[in-house]
Amino acid sequence: MKGRPLIESVHCVGFLSWEIDYIRGGDMTTGEKIASDLFMMLTHAQVDMEMWIAMRYRRQGDEAVAMLNRRYARFYSVAETALFNSVIVLLYSVFEKRTDTVNFHSLLATFEATSDPAFLNKLDKSFKEMKKTWIRISLLRNNVVGHQSLELSDKQKELAAGMSIGDMRTMLEACKELLFEIGTKVQDRHFNFNITGTKAFDNLMDDLTAFTAMKYGN
């Protein structure tokens, strides 16, 4: 039996499909499509980051550690790493400077020629401020997540090691605010990031804990 294509299987998860269909509506301009795709990428980053942070904190408890070591340690370790990698790749991708991918620079190119100079200057300041964190994200993406570099300099290691959860959150929030502002001022659209991941992960852990207690009596 022929297997289902991977991309179709991934899309079957579908927790974002109704949001994107609603936002896209009918025919879209190039800028509207890029903005919608950025919304999807940032929402994925938000959900993945919340789950990753929840996993880090939840495994600090003695009860959770005992339960995980009994049956789920390998899965938990792999899932936590995968969520971190996903966040890094997504935050890298939305801000990379390429003309053939979905990113904020591609979005800017769709309205730069017709926008108010004051608004463009404001965006330029935001871009420059966000780039400081993005450089460290790109080091992690290029030399740790995407590749295992043999030539990482001491300075690059220092920059990459300086990345904190707070930095990642700040970068994500800045991207969300930037997209909201562009959507409102340029496209007359509102992007609301109201899908979260913490509760979904907590539900999973509660179910696993209850199952383990029922099966093993503790």
Side-chain angles (χ1 to χ4, degrees), residues 13 15 46-48 50-52 54-55 58 75-76 83 194-208:
V13 174
F15 75 98
Q46 175 174 283
V47 172
D48 289 354
E50 289 179 358
M51 287 187 175
W52 172 65
M55 290 187 82
R58 193 68 176 258
F75 165 80
Y76 201 93
L83 288 170
N194 54 11
I195 299 177
T196 62
T198 303
K199 182 60 177 175
F201 173 75
D202 286 342
N203 289 341
L204 172 64
M205 287 296 290
D206 290 344
D207 289 347
L208 288 176

Side-chain angles (χ1 to χ4, degrees), residues 143-200:
N143 299 294
V144 179
V145 175
H147 310 281
Q148 296 295 319
S149 175
L150 295 174
E151 300 179 354
L152 201 60
S153 68
D154 290 340
K155 182 62 176 179
Q156 288 174 323
K157 290 178 182 177
E158 180 183 336
L159 286 170
M163 176 65 63
S164 68
I165 292 177
D167 292 330
M168 294 168 66
R169 278 178 165 160
T170 298
M171 180 68 178
L172 177 59
E173 290 303 314
C175 287
K176 288 160 57 178
E177 291 174 8
L178 184 62
L179 183 61
F180 183 85
E181 185 167 20
I182 291 173
T184 301
K185 294 186 178 296
V186 178
Q187 299 180 355
D188 193 26
R189 306 160 82 199
H190 298 280
F191 294 99
N192 296 312
F193 296 87
N194 54 11
I195 299 177
T196 62
T198 303
K199 182 60 177 175

